[in-house]
């Protein structure tokens, strides 16, 4: 009977009640989504690289090395020499390795200079290998081949066979373009939900050559100049005649390119995981050149602790929003108590105790919060389900939709308790009114 | 003769703000037996509502005793007092005698819940039929006319067969036709079981319906007197 009266009483004030439910459910949704997105972000971050035992780069903070080598954020402050790369890749513990050269971009998408081992050994998520979205093989068949991440290809509108030129630096509107040597899209990767989607992969040796002005001068005076002049013409033509491109490309062979002198980072797979600390120590200790060998898992954990602060701030703000919503519901009920003097008198006259009046008001607060939870759970579930494809394509983060987020029982219990506390205000004033008739 | 339904002994009340020498009213002895109907009148501010609050157990008097069926009302703990009111009294006020968002039947059920009584559907059907409310039983109260609402108030005041009916200006919101219909219904129904009626009104035209009259104005001074 008590709950029935509470429900009917709220229905009587349904507009105000709906507004309050909207306010509380919005703050609950913010809370759920910030928690959910935080967890998903963490998961997505930790799945951006897997199977790599060490990432070696010039000495720097592990998080900084992770940022540029895995997340393509920032540029490497220093390079490591090609000699050390060769030495490390030939260490007895090392099973495989591939180099990365970073620093250039294509219209805002970062360019990765690497070799075919990248496509062979790079793993993400649950040890997934990279896959080609078409039948084209994942390898640099020629020095000017470019393999595009799914997102980069989609946004820039490149298809296989299109040509693209790199810009120096990471700015989207960089003026320093490497127009001398355009690349041809040779393959497009399947979406991975990792920063790979936003990367343009080119052969390491070609990228090195582009930055070697001496070499460029001698070579571009030759046939490359010709290719540059024909760029527009070629772009239209290759759709009809792919072999035509090959004629141009064949003029430059891997053997024509200079040997790379330095790289940005080296991804290393060891023969056994047990060797990780041993290998890390020997690389860190070697005194020829200051290097850092980073264990990705450990660095990600450290990195996440940094981001955790931002997550906590977000949760704190959603907590504040929840309190705002609850205060709103308390304000509404408090005002309603003033208007319900007669209703309270009536209940008292029919024999209701002041405690009954108190419980009635508390039930109303509880009902408001419970309805807000239903709305919030449905809303955040629907929102995450609907937004997941968009977030995956725009931020490279794969969110799995959650209708019933983990730990939400604890959250629901806590917020109900909080609403009972907040409900004390109108409930107690109704209780007092119940004595003064 | 059975126990009086209501007895007031040396009852006086004064608000904390008024000087100690001038109580609002003093009633030395008032007794209502089953079948009695008392018409209480007096100008605004003479303490009618205060007296009703004291009799219904909502306001402890400064002095004196209230007995309901011989039971001292203020000798009980507050919770027991609430239960006694729910079981033994039927209260009708000027308006809003029923929760507007419940149906008539639900309001009656609520009253029975508070008075810890089982639903007596036979009695409820009889009441609603007599009060011409059968068609409105399952309508929310707010959809009823004022006359229907006050008739439903009678039903609510009688559903648990109380020993004392207390009515506070129940006819103010009604027009003359409804007023007379209301009075005859109330007085007829209360004859059906052992009950007494105490009604407050300043409409002296209703006085002939009652067996006794009490003008509270006469008890405003410190002197005690008898009921005429």
């Amino acid at each position: 009977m008590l709950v029935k009266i509470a429900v009917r009483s709220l229905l009587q004030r349904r507009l105000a009640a709906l507004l309050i439910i909207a306010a509380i459910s919005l703050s609950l949704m913010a809370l759920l989504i910030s928690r959910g997105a935080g967890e998903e972000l963490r998961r997505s971050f930790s799945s951006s690289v897997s199977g790599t035992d060490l990432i070696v780069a010039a000495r720097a903070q592990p998080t900084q090395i992770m940022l540029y080598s895995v997340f393509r954020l920032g540029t490497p402050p220093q390079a490591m020499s090609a000699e050390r790369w060769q030495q490390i890749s030939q260490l007895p513990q090392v099973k495989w390795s591939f180099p990365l050269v970073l620093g250039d971009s294509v219209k805002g998408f970062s360019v990765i200079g690497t070799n075919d081992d990248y496509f062979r050994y790079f793993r993400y998520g649950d040890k997934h290998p990279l896959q080609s979205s078409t039948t084209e093989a994942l390898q640099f068949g020629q020095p000017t081949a470019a393999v595009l991440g799914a997102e980069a290809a989609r946004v820039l509108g490149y298809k296989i066979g299109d040509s693209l030129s790199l810009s120096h630096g990471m700015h989207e509107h960089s003026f320093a373009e490497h127009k001398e040597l355009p690349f041809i899209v040779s393959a497009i990767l399947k979406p991975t939900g990792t920063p790979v989607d936003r990367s343009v992969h080119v052969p390491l040796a070609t990228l090195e050559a582009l930055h070697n002005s001496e070499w460029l001068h001698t070579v571009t005076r030759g046939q490359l100049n010709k290719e540059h002049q024909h760029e527009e013409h070629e772009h239209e033509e290759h759709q009809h005649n792919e072999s035509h491109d090959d004629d141009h490309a064949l003029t430059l062979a891997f053997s024509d390119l200079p040997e790379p002198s330095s790289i940005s980072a080296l991804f290393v797979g060891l023969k056994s995981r047990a060797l990780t600390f041993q290998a890390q120590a020997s690389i860190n200790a070697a005194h020829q050149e200051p290097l850092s060998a980073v264990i990705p898992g450990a660095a990600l954990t450290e990195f996440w602790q940094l981001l955790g602060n931002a997550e906590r701030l977000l949760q704190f703000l959603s907590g504040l929003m929840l309190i705002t919503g609850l205060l709103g519901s308390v304000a509404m009920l408090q005002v309603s108590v003033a208007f319900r003097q007669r209703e309270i008198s009536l209940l008292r006259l029919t024999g209701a105790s002041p405690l009954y009046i108190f419980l009635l008001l508390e039930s109303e607060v509880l009902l408001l919060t419970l309805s807000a939870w239903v709305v919030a759970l449905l809303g955040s579930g629907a929102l995450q389900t609907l937004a997941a494809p968009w977030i995956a394509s725009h931020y490279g983060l794969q969110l799995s939709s959650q209708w019933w987020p983990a730990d939400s029982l604890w959250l629901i219990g806590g917020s109900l308790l909080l609403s009972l506390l907040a409900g004390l205000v109108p409930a107690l004033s109704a209780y007092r009114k119940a004595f003064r008739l | 003769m059975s126990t009086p339904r209501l007895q007031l002994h040396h009852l006086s009340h004064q608000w904390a703000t008024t000087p100690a020498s001038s109580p609002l009213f003093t009633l030395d002895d008032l007794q209502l037996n089953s079948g009695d109907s008392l018409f209480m009148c007096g100008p605004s501010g003479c303490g009618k509502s205060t007296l009703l609050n004291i009799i219904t157990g909502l306001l402890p008097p400064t002095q004196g005793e209230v007995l309901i069926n011989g039971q001292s009302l203020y000798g009980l703990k507050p919770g027991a007092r609430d239960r006694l009111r729910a079981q033994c009294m039927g209260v009708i006020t000027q308006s809003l005698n029923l929760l507007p968002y419940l149906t008539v039947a639900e309001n009656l059920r609520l009253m029975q819940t508070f008075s810890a009584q089982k639903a007596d559907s036979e009695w409820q059907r009889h009441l609603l039929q007599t009060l011409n409310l059968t068609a409105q039983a399952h309508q929310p109260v707010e959809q009823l006319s004022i006359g229907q609402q006050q008739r439903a108030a009678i039903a609510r005041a009688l559903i648990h067969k109380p020993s004392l009916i207390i009515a506070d200006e129940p006819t103010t919101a009604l027009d003359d036709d409804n007023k007379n219909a209301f009075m005859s219904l109330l007085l007829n129904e209360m004859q059906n079981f052992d009950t007494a009626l105490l009604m407050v009104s300043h409409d002296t035209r209703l006085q002939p319906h009652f067996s006794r009259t009490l003008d509270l104005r006469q008890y405003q001074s410190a002197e005690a007197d008898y009921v005429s």
Side-chain angles (χ1 to χ4, degrees):
Chain A
M1 201 71 189
L2 180 73
V3 175
K4 191 177 187 177
I5 296 177
V7 170
R8 296 292 183 81
S9 154
L10 285 176
L11 284 176
Q12 176 87 346
R13 283 170 282 278
R14 61 179 79 81
L15 183 61
L18 279 178
L19 289 174
I20 291 298
I21 290 172
I24 302 180
S25 61
L26 275 179
S27 60
L28 288 176
M29 263 165 75
L31 202 66
L32 283 178
I33 288 173
S34 75
R35 276 170 56 91
E39 266 156 39
E40 287 292 313
L41 210 62
R42 195 194 318 251
R43 203 181 52 76
S44 185
F45 264 95
S46 55
S47 72
S48 51
V49 60
S50 71
T52 296
D53 295 307
L54 290 172
I55 297 174
V56 186
R59 185 146 294 174
Q61 286 297 316
T63 39
Q64 193 188 0
I65 292 173
M66 289 299 289
L67 277 179
Y68 66 73
S69 68
V70 176
F71 300 113
R72 326 288 194 235
L73 296 168
T75 46
Q78 271 181 306
M80 76 185 259
S81 68
E83 293 94 68
R84 287 293 284 141
W85 161 28
Q86 294 305 331
Q87 279 170 14
I88 292 169
S89 62
Q90 274 145 35
L91 284 176
Q93 302 99 319
V94 172
K95 189 175 170 194
W96 55 259
S97 72
F98 59 80
L100 290 188
V101 172
L102 303 145
D104 282 2
S105 66
V106 177
K107 292 170 187 158
F109 289 91
S110 53
V111 168
I112 315 293
T114 186
N115 58 28
D116 288 343
D117 283 346
Y118 178 94
F119 304 111
R120 211 167 292 143
Y121 296 117
F122 182 84
R123 296 286 183 274
Y124 67 94
D126 197 10
K127 304 253 162 68
H128 290 296
L130 296 174
Q131 284 180 299
S132 175
S133 65
T134 57
T135 49
E136 269 77 10
L138 282 184
Q139 58 179 38
F140 300 122
Q142 39 174 315
T144 54
V147 176
L148 266 57
E151 163 83 0
R154 189 183 65 79
V155 172
L156 299 177
Y158 285 130
K159 284 181 266 313
I160 293 186
D162 288 356
S163 78
L164 54 92
S165 52
L166 313 185
S167 338
H168 191 67
M170 288 307 293
H171 296 288
E172 197 165 338
H173 304 292
S174 180
F175 291 109
E177 282 201 15
H178 298 298
K179 286 225 167 191
E180 310 88 338
L181 200 58
F183 287 86
I184 311 294
V185 177
S186 69
I188 293 168
L189 296 168
K190 277 188 179 168
T192 63
T194 74
V196 170
D197 291 352
R198 298 180 56 83
S199 303
V200 175
H201 308 85
V202 298
L204 167 69
T206 321
L207 196 59
E208 172 80 16
L210 276 175
H211 292 97
N212 188 332
S213 48
E214 209 178 304
W215 179 86
L216 264 184
H217 270 294
T218 49
V219 179
T220 49
R221 240 178 269 129
Q223 73 268 60
L224 281 173
N225 247 349
K226 191 172 67 195
E227 193 177 328
H228 174 58
Q229 284 159 5
H230 285 256
E231 194 182 315
E232 291 305 310
H233 168 66
E234 176 195 305
H235 184 78
E236 288 168 25
E237 217 171 334
H238 66 72
Q239 287 163 348
H240 311 291
N241 184 4
E242 285 210 15
S243 62
H244 186 67
D245 298 331
D246 293 345
D247 291 342
H248 282 291
L250 277 174
T251 56
L252 186 66
F254 277 114
S255 54
D256 297 334
L257 301 169
E259 276 295 310
S261 63
S262 66
I263 59 171
S264 305
L266 184 67
F267 279 50
V268 177
L270 300 172
K271 286 175 180 148
S272 151
R273 276 210 127 165
L275 299 167
T276 306
F277 290 104
Q278 187 202 340
Q280 184 190 29
S282 80
I283 292 167
N284 282 345
H287 35 71
Q288 299 102 311
E289 190 183 346
L291 295 180
S292 294
V294 176
I295 302 169
L300 281 170
T301 308
E302 190 184 328
F303 184 62
W304 190 256
Q305 276 162 357
L306 280 172
L307 285 188
N309 286 326
E311 195 196 3
R312 272 192 289 279
L313 180 70
L314 205 63
Q315 294 212 0
F316 175 70
L317 289 178
S318 350
L320 277 186
M321 275 180 72
L322 174 62
I323 290 174
T324 316
L326 286 177
L327 283 179
S329 73
V330 167
M332 177 198 102
L333 287 171
Q334 184 65 47
V335 169
S336 83
V337 165
F339 285 108
R340 291 167 80 179
Q341 175 67 69
R342 295 195 62 90
E343 189 184 323
I344 293 168
S345 316
L346 168 66
L347 281 166
R348 290 283 286 139
L349 283 174
T350 48
S353 61
L355 183 67
Y356 192 91
I357 311 281
F358 176 87
L359 291 176
L360 177 65
L361 267 288
E362 284 284 27
S363 320
E364 291 186 13
V365 182
L366 217 53
L367 276 170
L368 284 174
T369 313
L370 271 174
S371 332
W373 262 110
V374 174
V375 175
L377 283 171
L378 289 176
S380 74
L383 202 68
Q384 287 182 56
T385 307
L386 290 176
W390 187 84
I391 290 172
S393 68
H394 283 76
Y395 296 101
L397 292 173
Q398 228 121 51
L399 303 182
S400 60
S401 63
Q402 292 176 300
W403 292 92
W404 183 257
D407 295 342
S408 48
L409 215 56
W410 178 89
L411 208 62
I412 291 173
S415 66
L416 289 184
L417 207 68
L418 209 62
S419 65
L420 279 181
L421 271 177
L424 280 178
V425 180
L428 279 176
S429 59
Y431 181 78
R432 278 201 307 274
K433 265 193 199 301
F435 283 109
R436 297 185 273 105
L437 288 175
Chain B
M1 184 166 234
S2 59
T3 327
R5 293 287 168 247
L6 170 71
Q7 286 169 280
L8 304 180
H9 287 311
H10 310 291
L11 190 73
S12 73
H13 191 76
Q14 62 192 76
W15 297 109
T17 48
T18 58
S21 56
S22 65
L24 199 53
F25 54 80
T26 304
L27 285 164
D28 253 1
D29 185 37
L30 177 77
Q31 197 168 312
L32 280 184
N33 290 307
S34 128
D36 281 352
S37 57
L38 175 71
F39 184 75
M40 189 164 79
C41 57
S44 306
C46 72
K48 295 192 300 275
S49 298
T50 308
L51 180 58
L52 286 189
N53 279 342
I54 291 171
I55 293 174
T56 47
L58 292 168
L59 177 71
T62 321
Q63 234 187 332
E65 223 182 347
V66 179
L67 300 177
I68 306 288
N69 296 330
Q71 167 107 57
S72 170
L73 188 57
Y74 290 94
L76 294 170
K77 286 186 176 152
R81 208 148 61 211
D82 289 334
R83 280 194 294 279
L84 183 76
R85 176 174 58 254
Q87 279 162 11
C88 300
M89 297 184 211
V91 185
I92 307 171
T93 61
Q94 193 170 336
S95 62
L96 202 91
N97 282 292
L98 307 119
L99 288 179
Y101 40 81
L102 298 183
T103 66
V104 175
E106 284 167 341
N107 268 286
L108 297 183
R109 185 76 205 102
L110 180 67
M111 186 68 233
Q112 286 173 319
T113 307
F114 283 130
S115 61
Q117 278 186 357
K118 284 196 178 129
D120 186 345
S121 53
E122 196 55 47
W123 173 235
Q124 175 172 326
R125 200 176 306 132
H126 164 76
L127 267 180
L128 289 178
Q129 204 169 1
T130 316
L131 297 165
N132 196 16
L133 283 170
T134 312
Q136 283 77 32
H138 297 290
Q139 273 182 30
V141 171
E142 58 194 344
Q143 291 176 8
L144 267 52
S145 72
I146 300 292
Q148 285 171 333
Q149 285 190 20
Q150 286 306 84
R151 292 211 303 277
I154 299 178
R156 204 221 58 209
L158 298 179
I159 185 74
H160 56 301
K161 301 182 178 168
S163 36
L164 178 65
I165 298 169
I166 295 165
D168 183 7
E169 306 270 13
T171 56
T172 315
L174 301 175
D175 57 39
D176 283 348
D177 285 349
N178 272 318
K179 208 173 278 188
N180 289 324
F182 176 89
M183 284 316 302
S184 43
L185 277 171
L186 183 59
L187 290 164
N188 281 337
E189 280 309 310
M190 69 163 280
Q191 301 305 329
N192 287 342
F193 47 96
D194 277 351
T195 191
L197 170 67
L198 169 61
M199 180 166 141
V200 167
S201 179
H202 54 245
D203 188 351
T204 47
R205 287 176 298 168
L206 298 172
Q207 194 178 336
H209 291 285
F210 292 82
S211 58
R212 294 154 66 190
T213 299
L214 181 144
D215 188 349
L216 205 56
R217 197 166 19 186
Q218 296 167 10
Y219 301 89
Q220 276 188 290
S221 56
E223 279 96 51
D225 208 335
Y226 296 101
V227 175
S228 60

